[in-house]
Amino acid sequence: DEAYLLATKLLDRRGHHRDLLVVMERLAAEKKDAVSHARVVKRLVELSEEEEKPIWLWRLCETQSARGDENYVDTLKLLLHLQPDHKDARAALLLSLERENRFVEMTEYLKRWSDLGDPDVLVYNPAAHGVGKPMVLTGDKLAADFRVNVTGALICAQEAARAMKERGRGTILLT
């Protein structure tokens, strides 16, 4: 950590910081040092030209995803703010929101990205079911399972059904 901070200060003074940070990023990635990698990439994002920022943000997203970083979703949102048509980031954000049972927010993004068109078919397939004896089942776990199994299905079906009704056709499969 101290070496990283010292190197960053020296790099900033000498003016060759960007090129050396790129090398540091590659070394941290090769060593699978996620903490150092995230720090270096964050610095590269700060120093990069606007057109390069999405590239470094995507690298940061990959590192954050691999280590389960709580800032992963926020980084994806920032990336999509800079490059709204980044299809991999869109898919990653939707998957993350689904995993976190944030269905309302997920639906808002789907509405915003309506360039995908209205669905002909909706297949709702996630399932959450706590394994355990009834005496150890908690209300929070039951509520989380309900959000995935029932609330998520309802929200997705409502959104898809509106578009399908307007077109007069469509299929909704809840599995």
Side-chain angles (χ1 to χ4, degrees), residues 18-113:
R18 191 186 170 289
D19 295 335
L20 291 170
L21 281 170
V22 170
V23 171
M24 288 173 66
E25 184 271 336
R26 288 191 185 132
L27 288 172
E30 286 174 13
K31 289 175 58 180
K32 299 194 183 328
D33 183 353
V35 174
S36 295
H37 187 258
R39 283 190 179 143
V40 170
V41 174
K42 284 178 185 176
R43 189 72 177 124
L44 280 165
V45 170
E46 292 171 10
L47 297 171
S48 294
E49 300 294 325
E50 287 303 310
E51 64 272 2
E52 290 182 327
K53 287 183 192 273
I55 296 165
W56 293 116
L57 282 169
W58 184 244
R59 293 289 298 255
L60 180 58
C61 287
E62 291 171 338
T63 301
Q64 289 175 329
S65 174
R67 68 176 211 200
D69 191 311
E70 63 187 36
N71 297 313
Y72 175 60
V73 170
D74 292 332
T75 306
L76 283 169
K77 288 178 182 178
L78 179 59
L79 170 57
L80 287 166
H81 176 75
L82 295 173
Q83 193 174 26
D85 60 342
H86 195 294
K87 301 232 182 281
D88 290 334
R90 284 182 176 190
L93 179 62
L94 292 174
L95 185 63
S96 296
L97 293 173
E98 180 184 21
R99 268 194 230 125
E100 295 176 13
N101 299 320
R102 293 163 61 177
F103 297 110
V104 173
E105 191 174 354
M106 189 171 123
T107 303
E108 290 302 317
Y109 276 101
L110 287 170
K111 284 181 193 175
R112 190 178 308 160
W113 299 329

Side-chain angles (χ1 to χ4, degrees), residues 88 99 121 137-138 143 145 149 165-166:
D88 290 334
R99 268 194 230 125
V121 177
L137 181 64
T138 65
D145 290 351
N149 298 328
K165 185 176 179 182
E166 288 175 16

